[in-house]
Amino acid sequence: MKIYTKTGDTGKTSLLGGRRVSKAELRIDAYGTVDELNSFIGLLRDQEINKKRETLLKEIQDRLFTIGATLASEPGKENIKKPDLHEEDLELLEKEIDEMETQLPQLRHFILPGGHQSVSFCHVARTVCRRTERCVIDLMEIEHVDEIIVKYLNRLSDYLFVLGRLIAQELGVEEVTWKPRI
């Protein structure tokens, strides 16, 4: 099988289920942004500091593929076999967030992203996650999207924020707080 099919050369692509749609359609943008997020999670997973979190980050990537498959499926085609998200997926992220927060000082100010490349990668992943969430919510306003997808993305962005803080602490990088000019 060749990687190129030439079927998209006219600006159309196929949803799982067969329907051809414009590559500019909101559904395509939503699952394309999930793919972008997944790539940034891969970049995070590749950071030496995250070797001990490699299994969890790979699981997150698996869940993002699940979300992508769900969003790439033609609405109303229930016979398409694909994986699903479960409440346990949300609970895992919440458990991880709670565990990380026990190791961190209480947050009292906004934090400026940066301080180390690994921390910055985490913040980039977080902001792409927030954009992904917005894309999915936009899609939700015109078509049915299972609410658990938005919940998962929301929780994942929280996880990535706290992970960025923990990575900074593990690397001995000072968190720079935002001090607004008044």
Side-chain angles (χ1 to χ4, degrees):
M1 177 198 277
K2 291 187 177 189
I3 191 68
Y4 59 90
T5 62
K6 301 182 183 180
T7 59
D9 290 354
T10 60
K12 300 273 187 186
T13 191
S14 293
L15 296 176
L16 297 175
R19 186 176 72 169
R20 303 281 296 165
V21 297
S22 167
K23 289 183 177 184
E25 187 173 293
L26 189 53
R27 177 172 291 282
I28 308 307
D29 191 29
Y31 76 71
T33 309
V34 170
D35 188 33
E36 181 184 355
L37 172 60
N38 206 335
S39 296
F40 277 108
I41 299 296
L43 183 61
L44 266 180
R45 186 168 53 93
D46 291 342
Q47 301 302 299
E48 187 62 37
I49 189 84
N50 286 323
K51 289 300 176 201
K52 60 188 164 228
R53 290 178 272 271
E54 191 170 16
T55 301
L56 176 62
L57 290 169
K58 183 189 171 299
E59 185 169 333
I60 289 168
Q61 287 186 286
D62 288 343
R63 296 301 81 74
L64 290 173
F65 254 87
T66 296
I67 291 170
T70 300
L71 294 174
S73 297
E74 189 175 335
K77 294 274 186 164
E78 303 305 321
N79 58 341
I80 298 170
K81 192 171 185 168
K82 61 186 182 326
D84 289 324
L85 284 177
H86 302 282
E87 286 296 322
E88 295 81 33
D89 298 318
L90 295 171
E91 292 165 5
L92 174 62
L93 290 177
E94 291 168 356
K95 179 181 138 293
E96 293 295 325
I97 291 168
D98 292 344
E99 172 60 33
M100 288 188 294
E101 284 189 323
T102 65
Q103 302 171 53
L104 295 168
Q106 187 175 11
L107 187 63
R108 299 188 187 288
H109 304 283
F110 287 107
I111 297 170
L112 298 178
H116 187 279
Q117 190 175 49
S118 295
V119 175
S120 295
F121 287 151
C122 206
H123 283 287
V124 169
R126 173 186 58 78
T127 60
V128 171
C129 189
R130 287 289 188 204
R131 180 164 36 92
T132 304
E133 181 183 8
R134 291 189 303 271
C135 283
V136 171
I137 290 168
D138 280 347
L139 180 61
M140 256 179 124
E141 291 181 359
I142 59 172
E143 293 183 22
H144 173 75
V145 175
D146 194 338
E147 288 181 11
I148 196 167
I149 291 174
V150 174
K151 289 178 184 179
Y152 187 83
L153 293 169
N154 185 273
R155 212 69 79 250
L156 179 56
S157 63
D158 293 338
Y159 168 81
L160 292 168
F161 175 76
V162 178
L163 178 59
R165 293 191 69 214
L166 184 63
I167 290 171
Q169 180 175 289
E170 290 172 353
L171 291 169
V173 175
E174 180 183 351
E175 290 183 323
V176 178
T177 58
W178 178 53
K179 295 178 179 69
R181 288 186 302 192
I182 298 181

